[in-house]
Amino acid sequence: MAWGGGWGGGPGMGGGGHGHPGATGTTGLPFGGIPQELMDGVRRIVSAEPTHEPKDLPFTQLPSADEARRLTLVRMVRSHSSLFVLATILVTAIAAASQAGPALVGYAIDHGMRPGHGSLRTVAICAALYLGTAGGAVLFQRWQASVTGRLASRVMYDLRVRVFTHFQRLSLSFFTDEKAGVLMSRMTSDIENLQQLLQDGLSQFAIQGLTMVIITIALFSTNVTLALWTVLLVVPVLFVLTVWFHLNSEKGYLRARDAIADVLSDLSESLYGIRVVTANNRQRHNIVHHRNVVGAYRNANMYTGEIMSVYGPSTIGIGILSQALLLGLGGHMVLRGELSLGGLTLFILYLNRFFQPIQLLVQQYNLLQQGRSSITRLRELLETRPDVDESPTATTLPPITGRLTFDDVSFGYDPERLVLAHVSLDIAPGESVAFVGPTGAGKSTLAKLATRFYDPTAGRVLVDGIDLRDVTLHSLRSQLGVVPQEPFLFSGTVRQNLRFGRPAATDAEVDEAVDVVGLRELIDRLPEGLDTVVHERGQTLSAGERQLLALARAFLARPRVLVLDEATSSLDLRSETVIERALDRMLEGRTAILIAHRLTTAQRADRIVVVDQGGVTEVGSHHELVAAGGAYAAMYRAWIESGGRDAGR
Ligand code: ATP
């Protein structure tokens, strides 16, 4: 993820626009200023740069009326109507200017080259006009390419932002169910297909279509009989061939479309899991699998290629055949005085051109098909409603004290298979509760319901007595903090990562968070302290360090309710002590749910909740549960017997 002028909003980040020569950044290299001798050059470059006004982009969970409209090519283009109108005018001008040639040749032959009545003037005028119209067509084409290029770029910009915004609205379940690679292919190959279609495809279609109309008119106005012969001979054969091509190529495109999505998702999975792949010696297996996936894509493309290889040359064949027929038929008519020599030349020249658009259309047909299926898939994506959606009547959640209530909650990821059944639990404001229990019991699921990543299948989850479904997601999440088991760090500086939940936090507040969670030692060790760049997903930091950064991030966001999924990976004793101390500070005065994998963490909570077999089986303080002699007491005994650390899972 690139930071650009994006979400951190911190000093030195440019705020969305491009930097200006006087800017001094507080991140990165120390800025010594621009040398005087370079200043003129810099000013020149900057003045030529297009301005990117920082746009105020409001984000609402519910799409605006514009965003909710069905995605169609026409709608996308219509929002840039002036460019579209200009492109249409230019396309018409190109088609007309490029087809003037044969008519001028025919006129020049009949009126300027008649034996005994030749007129050099007529020939010269026709030649000059030919040159003029051909030159005009070239100029119009140059202009049209620039206009459609601009139109395509703008439409694609709108579409990319729209799809990305839609991703931000979708629920966790969507991203769990869909493969990341498939989603990436929506943003890459699908959008690129459309870009190509808009940039070259549609204008070519329009130009070639218009050309065919102009040529047909020209043929009929020259000689109806010959034109009828031509049309009757050529059109039916072409029609049958085209229907055959359409049916078969459609099959090929569908196959290719599915195959490329598989290629991308296999690629992204392999790259994402490269450590596991290497550690398990799965390289060969992965290559074999990828070869199969890529092979399916190759086969699909080869199939489409085969279809094209029949259609393309067949149309050329029909073209040549009809020219030969025309020469015979037309020549006969000339000899009988029913057609002028210029008329026959015009016919032969136009017929040649009649097939050019068909050839081009076949080449562009690929683009049209791909563009059409891309639109369909993007439309399906944009019409996917989030499972966890905001009700149109949702209100803003007022500042909460932090009482959390599970009221007879049942839930299943698949509604047929319940993971939790009839769970009722009340967590008082400021109370910390640890969820313990066997793996897969439903601890994380309970936490996901508390943060409304999912909605219960039955029952209610309430915060301060208000059903989570009755408030806006933004107002709810701004008062909740979540520290996931595997904290995610974005590429950017440590400071930007810490400010993620509250971009407006001051430097002093960032420093405080660093001290509170005990990150100071790490920060001092980093080459540029808080301004050190961490790489994507924080791979350059240790698991414990990432956990501490996530804690500091949550601390800085100051949530009223904190949900913390403890890392399962074993940390060394020192890191554990640091994290436990950080936790104590974090929990002060906040309602907290701790999904505890270590019993030392569970003991820090005010109450312990044992989750097992889809329900809450024990609730009480550490001492109460040990005294009660149930499942928790057994877990605790096993832990003590094994030395007291790490055995509590
Ligand atoms: P752990 O201690 O291993 O983290 P947990 O108690 O937190 O386990 P959950 O993650 O809540 O367990 O999972 C509860 C059950 O729900 C498990 O059987 C799991 O397989 C299932 N489950 C979890 N996430 C999904 C999902 N997205 N889709 C379908 N089933 C899921």
Side-chain angles (χ1 to χ4, degrees), residues 193-237:
N193 283 345
L194 277 182
Q195 165 127 21
Q196 276 215 344
L197 178 66
L198 277 173
Q199 204 156 321
D200 314 317
L202 285 187
S203 48
Q204 277 304 322
F205 267 101
I207 292 175
Q208 304 311 336
L210 269 174
T211 303
M212 285 176 76
V213 172
I214 292 175
I215 292 179
T216 313
I217 295 173
L219 293 185
F220 273 93
S221 53
T222 310
N223 189 304
V224 178
T225 322
L226 199 55
L228 267 177
W229 269 109
T230 315
V231 170
L232 285 179
L233 282 174
V234 174
V235 173
V237 186

Side-chain angles (χ1 to χ4, degrees), residues 531-569:
D531 296 320
T532 309
V533 171
V534 291
H535 294 280
E536 208 174 331
R537 295 196 289 274
Q539 295 295 317
T540 44
L541 298 170
S542 77
E545 289 165 348
R546 285 202 296 271
Q547 188 81 22
L548 282 176
L549 278 173
L551 280 176
R553 179 193 274 169
F555 181 84
L556 204 56
R558 296 191 186 147
R560 281 302 309 144
V561 176
L562 179 73
V563 175
L564 188 140
D565 201 345
E566 192 180 42
T568 44
S569 54

Side-chain angles (χ1 to χ4, degrees), residues 176 413 419 438-445 448 454 597:
T176 317
Y413 292 95
V419 172
T439 184
K443 305 179 293 286
S444 307
T445 308
K448 285 180 203 158
Y454 290 88
H597 293 102

Side-chain angles (χ1 to χ4, degrees), residues 287-308:
I287 294 168
V288 171
H289 187 256
H290 199 68
R291 219 171 53 175
N292 290 341
V293 178
V294 175
Y297 182 49
R298 176 204 55 199
N299 291 349
N301 278 333
M302 277 179 10
Y303 175 79
T304 328
E306 284 291 311
I307 307 286
M308 291 281 262

Side-chain angles (χ1 to χ4, degrees), residues 82-83 85-91 93-94 135-151 199 203 207:
S82 50
L83 279 179
V85 170
L86 186 56
T88 313
I89 295 172
L90 287 170
V91 159
I94 292 167
V138 171
L139 284 180
F140 288 146
Q141 249 157 8
R142 147 92 188 71
W143 192 6
Q144 174 259 325
S146 125
V147 169
T148 45
R150 256 182 297 160
L151 180 68
Q199 204 156 321
S203 48
I207 292 175

Side-chain angles (χ1 to χ4, degrees), residues 4 17 20 79 124 175 180 210 250 271 313 326 356 432 501 508 544 580 613 647:
H20 54 87
S79 40
F175 298 100
L210 269 174
E250 183 93 9
L271 293 182
L326 199 67
Q356 262 173 15
S432 57
E580 278 160 17
Q613 302 194 342

